[in-house]
Amino acid sequence: MSTVADTLPPRMRGVAIANAIGHRPVRIVLEGEPVVLFRTAGQLTALADKCPHRGAPLSLGRVRNGGIVCPYHGWQFGADGICTAMPSRVGDPAPVAVPRYAAAEHDGVVFVGAEDAAPPRPMPDGFSMIHRAGSVRTTVADLAENILDTTHTQTLHAGLLRRESARRLVRPDVAVGEDWIEARYPPEAAPSGLPAFLSGGGYAITDRFEAPGVASVTYKRDDRIVFAARFHMTPSDDGHVGVVAAMGVPKGPFAHLQTFVIGLFMSRIFRQDTKLLHATACNGAAQSLIMPEDLLRRGIDAILRGEAPQRPATVPDLLV
């Protein structure tokens, strides 16, 4: 049975903060497979993190002469994955190679995928950016919904994002595409906590999930973006999800101060979310209830199955 995912071009996943990848190899896990990232002469390279000789992790080796050296027997592989040296062998190395992945970077994030994969859409131009990366014991669906869920913020993030006494009745809208779903909120739904104090509030919010695992949040005032964030999620093989966040505000005289404050604020939010998601995962919960107020969850689940999301038949008013 074919799915929407079969007809759409493959997408790269955001797996690391770009300035964290240098001359020293870095190991990540992509679709359950280990991958090593490194730079040589400024070139970003992604190879399978497994030497074909005895399976040693190349990420435990070192970068040398434009390639990476296996820590076990010293086999060296170039940026194209082809073995260029076998120290114990007399003559030319045998025709051996490790798989190579496509690698790219924008928004200060490294993206990795199959050779024909493309990175997700970029952030807007002219933004001052900050980045965060971490790992959460949860699922992509639960983490994505958490990032895009308005209804938990009055409770878990009370006083930070919203105040219980300032709840408002709003009517969101939900839109869908082949591999994305988004909820659009009117200015009345803007947070009433610290963000309102810092920015004055009054901005419309769009929360969006798109394949393969990107959650984005955009704040607009007078049709101009005042804050944008992308959260790139990659499932690991140990029950965790890696997340790389790129967040930004338009460049201006106070942009660096704004991003500094946003970084402190979002770190607190991330800690609260991570703690609760970890506790929920350890709680061994069965299939959870999906309520009408959970605007995006069914669509997120469908996208992760490779299916086209459906717009809910009815979208309820929400108290936020």
Side-chain angles (χ1 to χ4, degrees):
M1 175 181 176
S2 63
T3 65
V4 170
D6 297 326
T7 65
L8 295 173
R11 302 282 185 86
M12 293 181 178
R13 287 188 181 271
V15 296
I17 298 174
N19 63 16
I21 308 301
H23 193 68
R24 178 173 296 181
V26 173
R27 175 187 173 98
I28 59 100
V29 177
L30 180 71
E31 309 292 350
E33 296 296 327
V35 176
V36 59
L37 305 173
F38 60 93
R39 294 184 193 272
T40 56
Q43 178 185 356
L44 178 65
T45 298
L47 302 176
D49 191 22
K50 185 181 294 185
C51 181
H53 184 208
R54 289 294 181 270
L58 296 176
S59 56
L60 295 180
R62 63 188 185 278
V63 176
R64 186 175 68 188
N65 298 331
I68 190 167
V69 179
C70 176
Y72 202 176
H73 294 89
W75 290 19
Q76 181 168 325
F77 300 88
D80 56 3
I82 297 175
C83 185
T84 58
M86 293 177 178
S88 62
R89 184 183 179 93
V90 178
D92 295 334
V96 175
V98 294
R100 181 178 182 272
Y101 293 85
E105 53 188 309
H106 62 65
D107 302 336
V109 176
V110 170
F111 297 89
V112 176
E115 282 291 344
D116 57 346
R121 61 194 178 97
M123 294 272 282
D125 292 331
F127 268 49
S128 180
M129 306 283 292
I130 59 171
H131 301 86
R132 296 289 185 272
S135 178
V136 186
R137 183 176 175 182
T138 188
T139 65
V140 171
D142 283 348
L143 180 56
E145 184 186 35
N146 172 269
I147 292 170
L148 305 176
D149 173 34
T150 300
T151 60
H152 83 281
T153 56
Q154 300 95 336
T155 304
L156 185 58
H157 308 306
L160 283 174
L161 277 174
R162 299 182 185 275
R163 294 178 290 115
E164 179 72 27
S165 61
R167 286 197 179 207
R168 307 180 186 94
L169 184 68
V170 300
R171 176 164 293 181
D173 186 29
V174 176
V176 298
E178 281 187 307
D179 63 349
W180 60 267
I181 184 170
E182 67 181 26
R184 304 165 182 169
Y185 296 87
E188 294 78 18
S192 54
L194 184 60
F197 174 79
L198 294 174
S199 65
Y203 37 78
I205 301 173
T206 299
D207 293 336
R208 179 182 176 116
F209 181 78
E210 57 191 276
V214 184
S216 63
V217 179
T218 306
Y219 290 2
K220 281 187 176 183
R221 182 187 294 116
D222 299 327
D223 212 32
R224 176 177 174 269
I225 297 176
V226 296
F227 171 76
R230 302 282 189 275
F231 301 86
H232 302 278
M233 293 163 283
T234 303
S236 185
D237 55 0
D238 60 356
H240 286 68
V241 175
V243 57
V244 181
M247 300 169 283
V249 297
K251 290 181 177 178
F254 302 108
H256 289 300
L257 177 60
Q258 286 178 289
T259 53
F260 175 75
V261 174
I262 289 171
L264 293 177
F265 173 78
M266 293 305 294
S267 293
R268 176 74 180 277
I269 296 294
F270 292 162
R271 286 195 297 270
Q272 292 178 336
D273 283 333
T274 298
K275 182 178 179 180
L276 191 65
L277 287 168
H278 178 88
T280 300
C282 292
N283 207 30
Q287 176 64 45
S288 57
L289 293 174
I290 300 178
M291 307 300 289
E293 292 76 17
D294 303 323
L295 301 179
L296 301 181
R297 183 53 188 255
R298 294 189 189 278
I300 291 171
D301 289 341
I303 291 168
L304 292 175
R305 292 193 302 266
E307 301 170 2
Q310 301 296 313
R311 186 181 184 278
T314 59
V315 178
D317 291 346
L318 295 179
L319 276 170
V320 300

